[in-house]
Amino acid sequence: MTKKELAAEIIERLKKEYPVAECSLDYDHAWKLLVSVRLAAQCTDARVNVVVEELYAKYPDVDALAEAETEEIEKIVRPCGLGKSKARDISACMKILKEEYGGKVPDDFDALLKLPGVGRKSANLIMGDVFGKPAIVTDTHCIRLVNRMGLVDGIKEPKKVEMELWKIIPAEEGNDFCHRLVYHGRDVCTARTKPYCDKCCLADICAKNGV
C-alpha cells in the first residue's frame, strides 16, 4: 500500500469513527479564533474556552481589544500560561486588524503569517475553519499520529510534516482530517499513556501498532 493509499484508507476510517470534524476552540467570529489559537499554545483548548469568556465579556470586539492595555489582557489570560507574551501578541494583532484590515481577519495565508503570534499552524486553522480553504494543521496530535501511522517517516518539524502531508492528503480533506486526528489522539492514540491499540479503528493498517 502506497502512502497515498494508506492516507485514503485512514481518512475514510476516521470519518466513520468521528463523523463530525470541528475545532474544539469555541468561537463565533474569525478574530476570536485568532485569539484563542494563540492562547492555546502549551494550554488545553478546554481551559482556553473558559478564559476567553471573561476576555470577550470585557472586550467584545476587535476595537475594544485593540484599545485595551496589554497588562489588563494579561491579567485575564494568565491562566493559559505565557501570559505576558500572549497578551502582547493579542494586543498587537488586534491593532493591526483594526488599522489595516477594518477589523476583519485577512483570508490570505501570507497575510496571516505576518500577524504577531501567528505561525503556520494557526494560519492553516484560520484558512480551513473560517474560510473553508485547503489547510493542514500540524499540531502535536497530528505530528505524533502521522508518524506512528507511517504517513511520514520520523519527521517532527511541523512545516516539514505539513509539506509531506500535502503530497498524500487530498486538499479538500486536509482540514477535517487534522481535526479527526486531534479526537483520535486524545481518546485512542494517546501521548501520555501507551496507545489504546486494542480499540483503534486503524490498528490493522498502522505502521507502529502498539509502539
Side-chain angles (χ1 to χ4, degrees):
M1 190 184 300
T2 67
K3 285 186 178 180
K4 190 170 285 190
E5 291 169 338
L6 177 61
E9 181 63 22
I10 289 172
I11 287 170
E12 289 309 307
R13 292 192 188 189
L14 290 180
K15 279 183 179 180
K16 292 177 182 176
E17 196 75 7
Y18 311 100
V20 178
E22 295 178 334
C23 179
S24 52
L25 292 167
D26 296 335
Y27 69 97
D28 54 10
H29 292 85
W31 68 270
K32 290 184 178 180
L33 181 56
L34 202 56
V35 169
S36 289
V37 74
R38 179 65 187 99
L39 292 176
Q42 298 181 41
C43 181
T44 65
D45 290 357
R47 174 170 289 183
V48 171
N49 288 339
V50 172
V51 169
V52 294
E53 288 185 11
E54 181 182 351
L55 185 68
Y56 301 150
K58 190 169 184 179
Y59 306 110
D61 53 38
V62 171
D63 286 0
L65 201 48
E67 293 166 7
E69 294 292 334
T70 306
E71 293 76 16
E72 293 303 310
I73 298 174
E74 183 186 349
K75 286 179 185 177
I76 298 173
V77 305
R78 190 175 291 133
C80 294
L82 306 173
K84 192 176 292 294
S85 62
K86 289 179 179 181
R88 185 174 60 244
D89 285 343
I90 289 169
S91 177
C93 188
M94 294 301 112
K95 283 180 168 65
I96 292 173
L97 293 188
K98 177 185 176 182
E99 295 165 6
E100 298 183 22
Y101 296 102
K104 304 293 184 182
V105 175
D107 63 352
D108 177 81
F109 188 80
D110 292 330
L112 287 170
L113 285 180
K114 292 177 182 177
L115 296 174
V118 177
R120 295 189 67 87
K121 182 182 78 171
S122 302
N124 269 302
L125 183 63
I126 296 289
M127 292 299 285
D129 271 36
V130 174
F131 300 114
K133 297 188 177 183
I136 290 179
V137 181
T138 49
D139 64 3
T140 55
H141 290 293
C142 174
I143 294 169
R144 182 177 76 257
L145 268 62
V146 297
N147 272 282
R148 282 180 176 172
M149 295 169 179
L151 294 179
V152 301
D153 302 311
I155 305 173
K156 299 299 173 66
E157 202 276 307
K159 184 177 179 180
K160 290 181 180 178
V161 172
E162 180 191 333
M163 294 303 110
E164 288 301 304
L165 291 179
W166 278 120
K167 298 174 185 177
I168 58 175
I169 304 293
E172 69 276 10
E173 298 285 0
N175 193 55
D176 287 351
F177 172 64
C178 291
H179 283 322
R180 291 186 172 101
L181 288 181
V182 172
Y183 300 156
H184 199 62
R186 286 174 179 164
D187 297 339
V188 180
C189 199
T190 54
R192 298 185 186 277
T193 63
K194 189 174 181 179
Y196 300 103
C197 298
D198 57 319
K199 63 176 184 178
C200 180
C201 63
L202 307 171
D204 60 312
I205 57 173
C206 179
K208 295 183 179 179
N209 184 2
V211 176

